[in-house]
Amino acid sequence: MALRPGDLAGQAGGRALMALPAAFVSIFLLIPLALSIVISFWERAGFKLKPAFTLASYTDFLGGVRLVVLERSLVAAGISTAIGLAIAYPIAYYLARHMRRDLARSILFLFSVPFLVNYVIRTFAWTYLLGRTGPINEALQAAGLVGKSVDWLLFSDFSVQVGFVTSYMPFMVFPLWLSISGIDRRLTEASWILGAHPWGTFLRITLPLSLPGIFAAAIFGFVGAFGDSAVPIILGGVGYQMIGNSITSTLDVLNYPLAAAMSSVVILAMLLLLGFWFLAFDLRSFLGKIVRWRV
């Protein structure tokens, strides 16, 4: 059946509307990432770049001390992601299952407020809170838990983890809440009617059906912490190296191919996580309606 002129105009408008975000993503995300990967194979010639196809930058990265930095970044990002999930999941579960929807939306709005404050300013605030003369040290001494100021609260692995968790945990609440709130309550009610223990209902129904949200939250937390450069510099102190600030320090000495190679490894890790998420879950399962593993 021939389409009417109005339908044709609607289809053309829809395609033009879809072309705008596609063009934006291509110009400002995909093309810069592709250029970064291409430059990672180039050679450094003084202050200039020489087009080539060499793995020297990757060999320098994976064969030198920066490999230790990569391993530390992976471990630190994994730990902060696990801590973030342990905090965010109970919060999202309570908001989705035990709180009125209007009140839950207000709480979720509060979790979005930190995004309105500059990220660097939020991180700097922790240097005062965790410092030797900060309120946390004073509270510990006033409570008699320590006799003098605790040094490891700031410029340590602990302070970096605090920075990661507080920066990315709020991101993790939203996909978890979306996934848990989409689970059909009749499934859990049927489990209760059949006499299942609440903990068994959670392990056999709620937790499996919320896996897409858990994995999405883990991606948000892990990718953010893995490539972060501000938190290690501000809260880790001088000489604290992770992959993010290691890339920026490499750029400072104008070694663009090596910085591009390091960035490409971060991009590869991100793509692997996104690819696994796409293969393991579909959109309906992310919304909590059903878990369907692709085979």
Side-chain angles (χ1 to χ4, degrees), residues 21 40 58 77 83 105 141 172 202 286:
S40 68
Y58 288 95
I83 295 174
R105 284 195 293 269
Q141 294 180 69
M172 304 167 78
F202 173 78
F286 178 69

Side-chain angles (χ1 to χ4, degrees), residues 226-279:
F226 184 49
D228 196 297
S229 61
V231 169
I233 293 174
I234 298 172
L235 296 179
V238 178
Y240 195 97
Q241 288 289 315
M242 291 190 67
I243 193 68
N245 58 328
S246 184
I247 291 173
T248 57
S249 62
T250 305
L251 288 172
D252 291 338
V253 296
L254 305 180
N255 195 343
Y256 295 114
L258 180 57
M262 297 166 70
S263 301
S264 298
V265 173
V266 177
I267 295 170
L268 178 62
M270 179 186 67
L271 292 178
L272 287 175
L273 288 172
L274 291 176
F276 180 77
W277 182 66
F278 176 77
L279 293 174

Side-chain angles (χ1 to χ4, degrees), residues 15-293:
R15 290 172 182 171
L17 193 61
M18 291 299 296
L20 290 176
F24 182 87
V25 172
S26 299
I27 295 173
F28 296 105
L29 180 63
L30 296 181
I31 292 177
L33 291 180
L35 286 175
S36 177
I37 294 173
V38 170
I39 292 174
S40 68
F41 295 103
W42 288 7
E43 292 177 341
R44 183 185 178 192
F47 293 105
K48 297 182 180 179
L49 298 177
K50 179 182 178 182
F53 185 79
T54 174
L55 299 176
S57 298
Y58 288 95
T59 304
D60 187 15
F61 174 37
L62 299 177
V65 295
R66 293 182 179 85
L67 182 60
V68 178
V69 175
L70 175 64
E71 293 173 351
R72 177 194 296 171
S73 302
L74 288 170
V75 172
I79 293 174
S80 67
T81 301
I83 295 174
L85 279 175
I87 298 173
Y89 195 95
I91 294 173
Y93 183 86
Y94 187 80
L95 292 177
R97 289 305 181 96
H98 299 289
M99 188 170 283
R100 296 199 322 266
R101 279 196 170 272
D102 56 340
L103 190 56
R105 284 195 293 269
S106 301
I107 300 297
L108 289 172
F109 171 76
L110 293 178
F111 274 105
S112 68
V113 170
F115 306 146
L116 304 177
V117 182
N118 183 275
Y119 167 65
V120 175
I121 293 175
R122 281 189 285 124
T123 305
F124 262 116
W126 281 107
T127 60
Y128 167 69
L129 295 173
L130 299 175
R132 290 177 58 84
T133 58
I136 294 178
N137 252 318
E138 291 181 354
L140 290 174
Q141 294 180 69
L145 297 176
V146 294
K148 60 180 182 180
S149 297
V150 180
D151 293 328
W152 54 262
L153 287 181
L154 186 60
F155 303 138
S156 62
D157 292 334
F158 173 80
S159 58
V160 172
Q161 287 296 331
V162 169
F164 284 157
V165 172
T166 54
S167 296
Y168 299 106
M169 188 276 290
F171 283 107
M172 304 167 78
V173 171
F174 292 94
L176 288 169
W177 173 81
L178 181 64
S179 182
I180 296 171
S181 62
I183 297 174
D184 193 338
R185 288 178 178 270
R186 290 174 296 182
L187 296 174
T188 54
E189 291 170 357
S191 177
W192 296 339
I193 293 173
L194 293 174
H197 190 273
W199 186 243
T201 300
F202 173 78
L203 291 178
R204 294 183 179 181
I205 295 178
T206 306
L207 185 62
L209 290 178
S210 62
L211 277 178
I214 293 174
F215 201 80
I219 290 176
F220 289 164
F222 184 85
V223 172
F226 184 49
D228 196 297
S229 61
V231 169
I233 293 174
I234 298 172
L235 296 179
V238 178
Y240 195 97
Q241 288 289 315
M242 291 190 67
I243 193 68
N245 58 328
S246 184
I247 291 173
T248 57
S249 62
T250 305
L251 288 172
D252 291 338
V253 296
L254 305 180
N255 195 343
Y256 295 114
L258 180 57
M262 297 166 70
S263 301
S264 298
V265 173
V266 177
I267 295 170
L268 178 62
M270 179 186 67
L271 292 178
L272 287 175
L273 288 172
L274 291 176
F276 180 77
W277 182 66
F278 176 77
L279 293 174
F281 307 106
D282 61 15
L283 185 60
R284 287 179 298 170
S285 61
F286 178 69
L287 293 174
K289 300 295 176 64
I290 188 173
V291 172
R292 187 181 66 183
W293 291 88

